[in-house]
Amino acid sequence: MIKKRLISLVILLVVALGAGGLVLWQRRHAQEQAEHKEKESKVLAVASLDDLTSLRLEDEPQVFVIERVEGGGTKWQLTEPIATRADDSTLDSLGRALVELKYKAKVPQAPGKPQDLSLFGLEPARFTVTMMRKDGSKETLLVGKKNSFDGSLYVQRQGAAEVLLVPGSISYQLETDLFRLRDKVLVHFDSAKVVRLTVEKEGKPLYAVEKQGEAYRIVAPTAFVVDADKVRSMLSSLSSLRAREFAVEKPTAADLARTALAKPALRVTIGFADPALASLTLRVGKAASGNEAQTYAMLEGGHPIAEVSGDSVTTQLDVTVDALRDKSVVHFDRQAVTGVTIEDGAGVTLEFVKVRDEDKDRDGWNMVKPKAVDAHDSALESLLYTLSTLKASEIVAEKANVGTLAQHGLGPTSKRVTLFGKDKQQLAQVVLGKAEGEKQYVMAAGGERLDAIDSARLGSVSFVESGYTDVAEPKPE
């Protein structure tokens, strides 16, 4: 009896293994069939976009030749009809569309009788696309007219007899022109490598900005710290400047005069720390074009004149020196602050320390003076944010003397907020003077500049306990 049961169990096990193996085989077979079918339906043999080294697109009378470039900040370079950077995204899209092109059907062909290719717009072809591959081989695709029934395109691989039908969407990639294929960005640079920005207005120096460490400073016509965000915005505006149209490919002196670039409204020079990187100079001008004024721009050094949209670059760069300066009252790293002291000038002092809240797995704040209680974390964080973004609406005095400070309510009994970091190192201190209307006079301790700010900006700065706590019972010792 036991022997029979063992035999039955073995048989069941063998059957189960066989069934499992069959299922795995069927899945593998189905996957192989799908892969084979997909490979069969591919129109071209090129395996991937990375396998392409060049493309030649013929659309009579136009001929475009684009080559793959290794390094140099671009992937594609136009070599015909002109030598210039290509638009990488446009070429990637075109190359990918060709690599992934699949046919929907084969056009039936009578045995022993060649196709009349003129019926499909393939003799002559509407488009001829030749692709060179890394191994030196090439493939050529002939593209004909659309099928009137469903908009499919007739195509033929050069050297093959069969005519294929492919999705008509590929025609959008092929119906192109020089402007669409070429790079429209006028100035290519890495903002992180820029160390100098010089701007001239109508032939006269306007200002020069240099990067010193992590800060930017005006070095001409005067010297002071610049608002880093404004410089970054300028560089972003320059790097994103694009041609709306290329007006003149190889400008002459007459072209420069006609487009107001012989004596440009602005001349901007971008300098780099790396001596291997040549400085870049952009001219921007505005000239009459019909009944309207058109803005033109040109990178010096044999580059074309381009029409550009709007006045975004001019608005960003044509500014006064005062508009560029950094008007922050204090500078500090909010994350580095571990202690805050608030003095009301009348003998009341509030002290807070940052503590680790293990239950919430985050940092929080406690008051330690005049009593030990939990503080409202949001109130302290709001205070720090307000101080870190505090900017002068007016610079009252560059070097305020004792008399000027007293006149504006700043002295030993002024209200002040002091921020501390690790080991109680003082990071910043803001001293508040008197308020006049909507103005509040302030200065950074240790500095010389007296600022006026919008008094509404200090709405989150309180000098009483209730602004930061619920005035709860003291914590047990």
Side-chain angles (χ1 to χ4, degrees):
M1 188 71 178
I2 295 174
K3 187 176 181 180
K4 286 183 178 180
R5 287 181 180 176
L6 286 172
I7 292 171
S8 298
L9 185 61
V10 170
I11 292 171
L12 286 172
L13 184 59
V14 170
V15 170
L17 288 172
L22 179 61
V23 169
L24 287 174
W25 178 85
Q26 287 176 329
R27 286 180 180 172
R28 188 177 302 154
H29 182 63
Q31 184 179 351
E32 288 174 352
Q33 283 186 317
E35 289 174 355
H36 180 69
K37 185 176 180 180
E38 183 175 344
K39 188 175 180 181
E40 262 197 341
S41 66
K42 265 178 64 59
V43 175
L44 299 164
V46 59
S48 69
L49 186 61
D50 291 337
D51 195 28
L52 289 177
T53 59
S54 71
L55 282 169
R56 180 184 177 89
L57 173 59
E58 298 175 46
D59 175 14
E60 293 297 338
Q62 302 180 110
V63 177
F64 304 107
V65 178
I66 311 102
E67 295 183 357
R68 190 101 182 189
V69 179
E70 297 297 334
T74 184
K75 292 190 287 185
W76 298 95
Q77 183 83 11
L78 265 162
T79 57
E80 288 186 40
I82 61 172
T84 187
R85 276 179 180 248
D87 188 305
D88 286 341
S89 60
T90 298
L91 267 298
D92 280 350
S93 179
L94 171 59
R96 195 172 292 110
L98 291 167
V99 168
E100 297 173 358
L101 187 63
K102 296 180 177 65
Y103 65 82
K104 299 164 63 177
K106 296 180 180 181
V107 176
Q109 181 178 359
K113 186 178 179 181
Q115 296 274 26
D116 183 355
L117 298 179
S118 63
L119 295 175
F120 310 108
L122 292 167
E123 200 174 66
R126 184 179 170 201
F127 302 104
T128 301
V129 186
T130 302
M131 288 152 285
M132 292 294 297
R133 299 164 65 182
K134 286 182 177 178
D135 63 5
S137 62
K138 70 178 181 179
E139 289 184 277
T140 298
L141 182 69
L142 308 176
V143 182
K145 65 182 183 181
K146 285 188 176 181
N147 182 317
S148 58
F149 176 69
D150 64 359
S152 299
L153 278 177
Y154 293 105
V155 301
Q156 184 184 49
R157 290 170 288 215
Q158 194 172 64
E162 58 193 9
V163 175
L164 308 172
L165 275 168
V166 300
S169 57
I170 189 69
S171 64
Y172 170 76
Q173 303 283 354
L174 299 174
E175 291 169 352
T176 191
D177 56 29
L178 177 59
F179 183 77
R180 185 177 169 196
L181 291 174
R182 74 186 298 177
D183 182 26
K184 270 74 74 179
V185 176
L186 298 190
V187 195
H188 286 272
F189 62 91
D190 182 350
S191 296
K193 296 180 179 179
V194 176
V195 295
R196 188 175 179 90
L197 183 68
T198 304
V199 179
E200 299 171 27
K201 182 177 181 180
E202 297 174 350
K204 297 178 181 179
L206 188 58
Y207 56 82
V209 175
E210 284 188 1
K211 189 174 185 180
Q212 299 176 3
E214 292 303 312
Y216 291 94
R217 296 186 65 88
I218 285 277
V219 293
T222 183
F224 50 72
V225 177
V226 176
D227 189 322
D229 288 338
K230 290 183 178 179
V231 177
R232 283 190 282 267
S233 182
M234 288 177 170
L235 295 177
S236 175
S237 180
L238 286 166
S239 65
S240 60
L241 185 64
R242 294 171 64 87
R244 189 174 69 181
E245 182 180 328
F246 288 98
V248 185
E249 202 62 47
K250 295 182 178 180
T252 62
D255 294 322
L256 294 176
R258 177 176 58 82
T259 54
L261 293 175
K263 297 179 179 179
L266 291 178
R267 187 169 181 266
V268 185
T269 301
I270 304 164
F272 307 93
D274 186 349
L277 297 175
S279 60
L280 302 170
T281 299
L282 181 76
R283 297 186 184 190
V284 181
K286 184 177 282 190
S289 178
N291 296 324
E292 298 180 356
Q294 173 61 51
T295 302
Y296 295 94
M298 181 193 73
L299 184 66
E300 292 184 3
H303 295 272
I305 294 175
E307 292 183 8
V308 295
S309 300
D311 297 321
S312 59
V313 171
T314 305
T315 302
Q316 291 275 358
L317 297 169
D318 186 5
V319 293
T320 63
V321 169
D322 185 65
L324 284 176
R325 74 180 304 170
D326 183 5
K327 295 181 181 178
S328 300
V329 176
V330 287
H331 292 91
F332 63 94
D333 178 0
R334 283 159 53 195
Q335 300 303 316
V337 178
T338 60
V340 178
T341 298
I342 300 173
E343 301 169 72
D344 72 350
V348 176
T349 299
L350 309 178
E351 289 186 15
F352 304 88
V353 294
K354 183 182 285 186
V355 294
R356 184 67 184 172
D357 189 331
E358 297 298 344
D359 292 336
K360 297 179 180 179
D361 191 28
R362 64 178 176 81
D363 292 331
W365 288 90
N366 284 349
M367 175 184 278
V368 294
K369 188 177 180 180
K371 60 186 70 173
V373 294
D374 285 333
H376 296 314
D377 298 341
S378 59
L380 270 298
E381 293 301 331
S382 179
L383 167 70
L384 295 179
Y385 176 78
T386 295
L387 296 180
S388 69
T389 58
L390 205 57
K391 293 183 184 290
S393 57
E394 176 191 343
I395 296 174
V396 180
E398 292 287 355
K399 294 185 178 182
N401 57 34
V402 175
T404 302
L405 294 177
Q407 180 186 346
H408 293 86
L410 287 102
T413 59
S414 295
K415 294 179 180 180
R416 63 193 66 219
V417 181
T418 310
L419 309 178
F420 298 94
K422 187 177 179 182
D423 299 327
K424 294 189 177 181
Q425 178 187 3
Q426 182 172 310
L427 301 179
Q429 185 182 83
V430 179
V431 184
L432 281 67
K434 65 182 180 180
E436 289 182 347
E438 296 180 351
K439 285 184 181 180
Q440 170 75 56
Y441 297 106
V442 298
M443 74 179 302
E448 297 179 306
R449 196 180 81 190
L450 174 62
D451 296 329
I453 63 169
D454 181 354
S455 56
R457 291 296 316 279
L458 294 176
S460 63
V461 182
S462 174
F463 290 86
V464 295
E465 288 183 54
S466 59
Y468 305 97
T469 73
D470 292 328
V471 196
E473 289 297 320
K475 291 182 177 179
E477 295 295 328

